[in-house]
Amino acid sequence: MNVELYERIWMWAAAGLLLLFLGAIFLTAGVQAVQPPSHIETVDPTALPTHPEFGAPGVKMRPDGSIVVSIVAQMFSFSPDPIEVPANRPVTFRLTSADVIHGFEVVGTNANAMAIPGYVSQFTVTFKEPGEYVIGCNEYCGTLHHNMVGKLIVKKESK
Ligand code: CUA
């Protein structure tokens, strides 16, 4: 079979592009670990009220001074609300949902994750600017989705 040189160049170029794109996926997913801010930690969404952590959601301080906030999202609010954390300290958010998928976005920052029933989403942020931030649910979760807002208070650390 005779394939024109011009045609062969295009075939190799197309195959090369495919390999390039596949390589980009494997590189970002595998090597740079670019993935949703969850870590495949599961939790029983029907047993949250008796869960040792999510049964009493709130702000806790670790021995090293870092902050952990456990949050339960549920139609149509976040618990706890408001959330109060200090500025300039790493804050680890751990969130889950008691019913459907909700969003958790601290407006104006890059703190943004999904609250998924059955899973714990976790990410860490340091807030530099003290003040009051709005937390919004950015996943459509029902008729009152637009009312699902919370408040984050970032306090200046007292020395
Ligand atoms: Cu919760 Cu939209």
Side-chain angles (χ1 to χ4, degrees):
M1 190 176 69
N2 181 36
V3 182
E4 294 272 336
L5 173 67
Y6 191 61
E7 204 168 344
R8 236 179 297 160
I9 290 172
W10 277 107
M11 279 160 66
W12 281 112
L17 266 183
L18 269 180
L19 285 179
L20 189 77
F21 294 155
L22 277 176
I25 290 172
F26 284 115
L27 194 77
T28 51
V31 180
Q32 300 179 335
V34 175
Q35 45 189 266
S38 193
H39 53 292
I40 324 192
E41 180 182 341
T42 55
V43 64
D44 180 359
T46 60
L48 288 184
T50 55
H51 189 274
E53 178 183 358
F54 292 104
V59 183
K60 283 163 203 98
M61 193 190 283
R62 285 183 178 138
D64 66 357
S66 63
I67 307 292
V68 186
V69 191
S70 310
I71 299 155
V72 176
Q74 192 165 13
M75 292 176 197
F76 295 96
S77 62
F78 299 101
S79 174
D81 183 35
I83 298 168
E84 212 174 291
V85 297
N88 295 312
R89 249 204 244 197
V91 178
T92 298
F93 289 92
R94 288 170 51 77
L95 40 133
T96 191
S97 165
D99 38 44
V100 299
I101 292 180
H102 297 278
F104 180 91
E105 179 184 6
V106 182
V107 178
T109 73
N110 64 353
N112 187 356
M114 279 164 112
I116 303 166
Y119 289 89
V120 178
S121 301
Q122 178 175 310
F123 62 94
T124 303
V125 207
T126 302
F127 298 102
K128 294 202 160 56
E129 284 298 317
E132 284 192 14
Y133 295 79
V134 173
I135 298 167
C137 173
N138 53 15
E139 297 287 339
Y140 182 74
C141 53
T143 42
L144 292 178
H145 159 71
H146 61 282
N147 279 353
M148 189 164 170
V149 286
K151 195 196 273 181
L152 175 79
I153 302 165
V154 177
K155 293 194 111 178
K156 211 179 188 163
E157 274 208 83
S158 45
K159 297 220 168 84

PDB file of all heavy atoms in Angstrom, residues 73-78 99-103 136-142 144-146 148, ligand 1:
ATOM      1  N   ALA A  73     -22.505  19.924  55.743  1.00  0.00           N
ATOM      2  CA  ALA A  73     -23.412  20.665  54.872  1.00  0.00           C
ATOM      3  C   ALA A  73     -24.694  19.858  54.766  1.00  0.00           C
ATOM      4  O   ALA A  73     -24.662  18.629  54.679  1.00  0.00           O
ATOM      5  CB  ALA A  73     -22.786  20.849  53.503  1.00  0.00           C
ATOM      6  N   GLN A  74     -25.805  20.570  54.818  1.00  0.00           N
ATOM      7  CA  GLN A  74     -27.100  19.910  54.807  1.00  0.00           C
ATOM      8  C   GLN A  74     -28.094  20.910  54.270  1.00  0.00           C
ATOM      9  O   GLN A  74     -27.971  22.098  54.540  1.00  0.00           O
ATOM     10  CB  GLN A  74     -27.445  19.534  56.259  1.00  0.00           C
ATOM     11  CG  GLN A  74     -28.608  18.602  56.398  1.00  0.00           C
ATOM     12  CD  GLN A  74     -28.670  17.993  57.789  1.00  0.00           C
ATOM     13  OE1 GLN A  74     -27.996  18.447  58.716  1.00  0.00           O
ATOM     14  NE2 GLN A  74     -29.473  16.962  57.957  1.00  0.00           N
ATOM     15  N   MET A  75     -29.089  20.452  53.539  1.00  0.00           N
ATOM     16  CA  MET A  75     -30.089  21.383  53.006  1.00  0.00           C
ATOM     17  C   MET A  75     -30.659  22.227  54.140  1.00  0.00           C
ATOM     18  O   MET A  75     -31.263  21.669  55.040  1.00  0.00           O
ATOM     19  CB  MET A  75     -31.264  20.633  52.367  1.00  0.00           C
ATOM     20  CG  MET A  75     -30.935  19.886  51.112  1.00  0.00           C
ATOM     21  SD  MET A  75     -32.460  19.021  50.673  1.00  0.00           S
ATOM     22  CE  MET A  75     -31.830  17.827  49.523  1.00  0.00           C
ATOM     23  N   PHE A  76     -30.553  23.471  54.224  1.00  0.00           N
ATOM     24  CA  PHE A  76     -29.848  24.376  53.334  1.00  0.00           C
ATOM     25  C   PHE A  76     -28.962  25.266  54.193  1.00  0.00           C
ATOM     26  O   PHE A  76     -29.129  26.468  54.247  1.00  0.00           O
ATOM     27  CB  PHE A  76     -30.854  25.232  52.535  1.00  0.00           C
ATOM     28  CG  PHE A  76     -31.685  24.380  51.610  1.00  0.00           C
ATOM     29  CD1 PHE A  76     -32.935  23.941  51.983  1.00  0.00           C
ATOM     30  CD2 PHE A  76     -31.151  23.989  50.382  1.00  0.00           C
ATOM     31  CE1 PHE A  76     -33.664  23.132  51.117  1.00  0.00           C
ATOM     32  CE2 PHE A  76     -31.910  23.190  49.526  1.00  0.00           C
ATOM     33  CZ  PHE A  76     -33.158  22.754  49.892  1.00  0.00           C
ATOM     34  N   SER A  77     -28.053  24.617  54.907  1.00  0.00           N
ATOM     35  CA  SER A  77     -27.164  25.383  55.772  1.00  0.00           C
ATOM     36  C   SER A  77     -25.864  24.621  56.015  1.00  0.00           C
ATOM     37  O   SER A  77     -25.758  23.440  55.683  1.00  0.00           O
ATOM     38  CB  SER A  77     -27.841  25.635  57.130  1.00  0.00           C
ATOM     39  OG  SER A  77     -28.089  24.399  57.761  1.00  0.00           O
ATOM     40  N   PHE A  78     -24.912  25.348  56.569  1.00  0.00           N
ATOM     41  CA  PHE A  78     -23.652  24.728  56.979  1.00  0.00           C
ATOM     42  C   PHE A  78     -23.614  24.704  58.500  1.00  0.00           C
ATOM     43  O   PHE A  78     -24.106  25.614  59.159  1.00  0.00           O
ATOM     44  CB  PHE A  78     -22.454  25.536  56.462  1.00  0.00           C
ATOM     45  CG  PHE A  78     -22.390  25.639  54.972  1.00  0.00           C
ATOM     46  CD1 PHE A  78     -22.811  26.794  54.336  1.00  0.00           C
ATOM     47  CD2 PHE A  78     -21.907  24.587  54.206  1.00  0.00           C
ATOM     48  CE1 PHE A  78     -22.749  26.893  52.951  1.00  0.00           C
ATOM     49  CE2 PHE A  78     -21.847  24.680  52.836  1.00  0.00           C
ATOM     50  CZ  PHE A  78     -22.265  25.843  52.200  1.00  0.00           C
ATOM     51  N   ASP A  99     -26.852  14.989  53.138  1.00  0.00           N
ATOM     52  CA  ASP A  99     -27.899  14.604  52.182  1.00  0.00           C
ATOM     53  C   ASP A  99     -27.400  14.560  50.734  1.00  0.00           C
ATOM     54  O   ASP A  99     -27.027  13.498  50.254  1.00  0.00           O
ATOM     55  CB  ASP A  99     -29.123  15.517  52.328  1.00  0.00           C
ATOM     56  CG  ASP A  99     -28.762  16.966  52.606  1.00  0.00           C
ATOM     57  OD1 ASP A  99     -27.848  17.478  51.946  1.00  0.00           O
ATOM     58  OD2 ASP A  99     -29.406  17.589  53.472  1.00  0.00           O
ATOM     59  N   VAL A 100     -27.374  15.710  50.082  1.00  0.00           N
ATOM     60  CA  VAL A 100     -26.985  15.706  48.666  1.00  0.00           C
ATOM     61  C   VAL A 100     -25.651  16.441  48.492  1.00  0.00           C
ATOM     62  O   VAL A 100     -25.067  16.902  49.470  1.00  0.00           O
ATOM     63  CB  VAL A 100     -28.074  16.392  47.787  1.00  0.00           C
ATOM     64  CG1 VAL A 100     -29.383  15.631  47.896  1.00  0.00           C
ATOM     65  CG2 VAL A 100     -28.250  17.837  48.178  1.00  0.00           C
ATOM     66  N   ILE A 101     -25.176  16.551  47.283  1.00  0.00           N
ATOM     67  CA  ILE A 101     -23.920  17.262  47.033  1.00  0.00           C
ATOM     68  C   ILE A 101     -24.131  18.761  47.205  1.00  0.00           C
ATOM     69  O   ILE A 101     -25.068  19.330  46.650  1.00  0.00           O
ATOM     70  CB  ILE A 101     -23.394  16.957  45.612  1.00  0.00           C
ATOM     71  CG1 ILE A 101     -22.969  15.494  45.523  1.00  0.00           C
ATOM     72  CG2 ILE A 101     -22.237  17.875  45.260  1.00  0.00           C
ATOM     73  CD1 ILE A 101     -22.428  15.099  44.162  1.00  0.00           C
ATOM     74  N   HIS A 102     -23.295  19.357  48.013  1.00  0.00           N
ATOM     75  CA  HIS A 102     -23.309  20.805  48.192  1.00  0.00           C
ATOM     76  C   HIS A 102     -21.940  21.352  47.813  1.00  0.00           C
ATOM     77  O   HIS A 102     -20.968  20.608  47.716  1.00  0.00           O
ATOM     78  CB  HIS A 102     -23.580  21.173  49.654  1.00  0.00           C
ATOM     79  CG  HIS A 102     -24.920  20.739  50.162  1.00  0.00           C
ATOM     80  ND1 HIS A 102     -26.070  21.449  49.935  1.00  0.00           N
ATOM     81  CD2 HIS A 102     -25.288  19.653  50.883  1.00  0.00           C
ATOM     82  CE1 HIS A 102     -27.096  20.819  50.496  1.00  0.00           C
ATOM     83  NE2 HIS A 102     -26.643  19.720  51.075  1.00  0.00           N
ATOM     84  N   GLY A 103     -21.888  22.654  47.650  1.00  0.00           N
ATOM     85  CA  GLY A 103     -20.603  23.305  47.434  1.00  0.00           C
ATOM     86  C   GLY A 103     -20.224  24.034  48.709  1.00  0.00           C
ATOM     87  O   GLY A 103     -21.063  24.314  49.561  1.00  0.00           O
ATOM     88  N   GLY A 136     -20.557  30.294  50.341  1.00  0.00           N
ATOM     89  CA  GLY A 136     -21.683  30.002  49.471  1.00  0.00           C
ATOM     90  C   GLY A 136     -21.687  28.548  49.042  1.00  0.00           C
ATOM     91  O   GLY A 136     -20.650  27.914  48.913  1.00  0.00           O
ATOM     92  N   CYS A 137     -22.889  28.031  48.853  1.00  0.00           N
ATOM     93  CA  CYS A 137     -23.025  26.705  48.265  1.00  0.00           C
ATOM     94  C   CYS A 137     -23.095  26.920  46.757  1.00  0.00           C
ATOM     95  O   CYS A 137     -23.937  27.662  46.277  1.00  0.00           O
ATOM     96  CB  CYS A 137     -24.293  26.031  48.771  1.00  0.00           C
ATOM     97  SG  CYS A 137     -24.638  24.480  47.927  1.00  0.00           S
ATOM     98  N   ASN A 138     -22.181  26.324  46.049  1.00  0.00           N
ATOM     99  CA  ASN A 138     -22.165  26.553  44.604  1.00  0.00           C
ATOM    100  C   ASN A 138     -22.527  25.301  43.791  1.00  0.00           C
ATOM    101  O   ASN A 138     -22.128  25.166  42.638  1.00  0.00           O
ATOM    102  CB  ASN A 138     -20.827  27.136  44.158  1.00  0.00           C
ATOM    103  CG  ASN A 138     -19.661  26.284  44.633  1.00  0.00           C
ATOM    104  OD1 ASN A 138     -19.861  25.146  45.038  1.00  0.00           O
ATOM    105  ND2 ASN A 138     -18.463  26.823  44.574  1.00  0.00           N
ATOM    106  N   GLU A 139     -23.234  24.385  44.453  1.00  0.00           N
ATOM    107  CA  GLU A 139     -23.775  23.233  43.719  1.00  0.00           C
ATOM    108  C   GLU A 139     -25.284  23.277  43.918  1.00  0.00           C
ATOM    109  O   GLU A 139     -25.745  23.342  45.065  1.00  0.00           O
ATOM    110  CB  GLU A 139     -23.236  21.914  44.287  1.00  0.00           C
ATOM    111  CG  GLU A 139     -21.746  21.733  44.169  1.00  0.00           C
ATOM    112  CD  GLU A 139     -21.305  21.454  42.749  1.00  0.00           C
ATOM    113  OE1 GLU A 139     -22.138  21.010  41.939  1.00  0.00           O
ATOM    114  OE2 GLU A 139     -20.116  21.700  42.455  1.00  0.00           O
ATOM    115  N   TYR A 140     -26.038  23.220  42.844  1.00  0.00           N
ATOM    116  CA  TYR A 140     -27.482  23.282  42.998  1.00  0.00           C
ATOM    117  C   TYR A 140     -27.961  22.087  43.817  1.00  0.00           C
ATOM    118  O   TYR A 140     -27.729  20.944  43.453  1.00  0.00           O
ATOM    119  CB  TYR A 140     -28.189  23.309  41.647  1.00  0.00           C
ATOM    120  CG  TYR A 140     -29.674  23.421  41.834  1.00  0.00           C
ATOM    121  CD1 TYR A 140     -30.242  24.633  42.238  1.00  0.00           C
ATOM    122  CD2 TYR A 140     -30.511  22.319  41.694  1.00  0.00           C
ATOM    123  CE1 TYR A 140     -31.593  24.736  42.481  1.00  0.00           C
ATOM    124  CE2 TYR A 140     -31.866  22.415  41.928  1.00  0.00           C
ATOM    125  CZ  TYR A 140     -32.405  23.630  42.325  1.00  0.00           C
ATOM    126  OH  TYR A 140     -33.737  23.723  42.571  1.00  0.00           O
ATOM    127  N   CYS A 141     -28.622  22.368  44.957  1.00  0.00           N
ATOM    128  CA  CYS A 141     -28.962  21.287  45.874  1.00  0.00           C
ATOM    129  C   CYS A 141     -30.432  21.235  46.243  1.00  0.00           C
ATOM    130  O   CYS A 141     -30.834  20.446  47.085  1.00  0.00           O
ATOM    131  CB  CYS A 141     -28.115  21.405  47.136  1.00  0.00           C
ATOM    132  SG  CYS A 141     -28.201  23.020  47.911  1.00  0.00           S
ATOM    133  N   GLY A 142     -31.239  22.070  45.630  1.00  0.00           N
ATOM    134  CA  GLY A 142     -32.661  22.035  45.939  1.00  0.00           C
ATOM    135  C   GLY A 142     -33.277  23.416  45.849  1.00  0.00           C
ATOM    136  O   GLY A 142     -32.610  24.384  45.483  1.00  0.00           O
ATOM    137  N   LEU A 144     -34.095  25.712  47.888  1.00  0.00           N
ATOM    138  CA  LEU A 144     -33.568  26.852  48.648  1.00  0.00           C
ATOM    139  C   LEU A 144     -32.043  26.962  48.518  1.00  0.00           C
ATOM    140  O   LEU A 144     -31.386  27.557  49.368  1.00  0.00           O
ATOM    141  CB  LEU A 144     -33.980  26.745  50.119  1.00  0.00           C
ATOM    142  CG  LEU A 144     -35.484  26.917  50.367  1.00  0.00           C
ATOM    143  CD1 LEU A 144     -35.813  26.747  51.836  1.00  0.00           C
ATOM    144  CD2 LEU A 144     -35.961  28.283  49.889  1.00  0.00           C
ATOM    145  N   HIS A 145     -31.514  26.390  47.462  1.00  0.00           N
ATOM    146  CA  HIS A 145     -30.068  26.441  47.219  1.00  0.00           C
ATOM    147  C   HIS A 145     -29.525  27.863  47.337  1.00  0.00           C
ATOM    148  O   HIS A 145     -28.474  28.093  47.934  1.00  0.00           O
ATOM    149  CB  HIS A 145     -29.787  25.866  45.832  1.00  0.00           C
ATOM    150  CG  HIS A 145     -28.496  26.284  45.236  1.00  0.00           C
ATOM    151  ND1 HIS A 145     -27.285  25.839  45.711  1.00  0.00           N
ATOM    152  CD2 HIS A 145     -28.210  27.134  44.215  1.00  0.00           C
ATOM    153  CE1 HIS A 145     -26.317  26.380  44.990  1.00  0.00           C
ATOM    154  NE2 HIS A 145     -26.845  27.168  44.091  1.00  0.00           N
ATOM    155  N   HIS A 146     -30.274  28.814  46.780  1.00  0.00           N
ATOM    156  CA  HIS A 146     -29.801  30.211  46.774  1.00  0.00           C
ATOM    157  C   HIS A 146     -29.730  30.797  48.181  1.00  0.00           C
ATOM    158  O   HIS A 146     -29.113  31.828  48.387  1.00  0.00           O
ATOM    159  CB  HIS A 146     -30.711  31.056  45.873  1.00  0.00           C
ATOM    160  CG  HIS A 146     -32.130  31.086  46.341  1.00  0.00           C
ATOM    161  ND1 HIS A 146     -32.992  30.031  46.127  1.00  0.00           N
ATOM    162  CD2 HIS A 146     -32.818  32.006  47.046  1.00  0.00           C
ATOM    163  CE1 HIS A 146     -34.172  30.314  46.663  1.00  0.00           C
ATOM    164  NE2 HIS A 146     -34.101  31.508  47.228  1.00  0.00           N
ATOM    165  N   MET A 148     -28.535  29.066  50.733  1.00  0.00           N
ATOM    166  CA  MET A 148     -27.561  28.310  51.503  1.00  0.00           C
ATOM    167  C   MET A 148     -26.250  29.084  51.573  1.00  0.00           C
ATOM    168  O   MET A 148     -25.355  28.915  50.754  1.00  0.00           O
ATOM    169  CB  MET A 148     -27.349  26.931  50.869  1.00  0.00           C
ATOM    170  CG  MET A 148     -26.514  26.015  51.750  1.00  0.00           C
ATOM    171  SD  MET A 148     -26.673  24.311  51.238  1.00  0.00           S
ATOM    172  CE  MET A 148     -25.385  23.567  52.227  1.00  0.00           C
TER     173      MET A 148
HETATM  174 CU1  CUA B   1     -26.352  23.440  49.091  1.00  0.00          CU
HETATM  175 CU2  CUA B   1     -26.737  24.482  46.997  1.00  0.00          CU
END
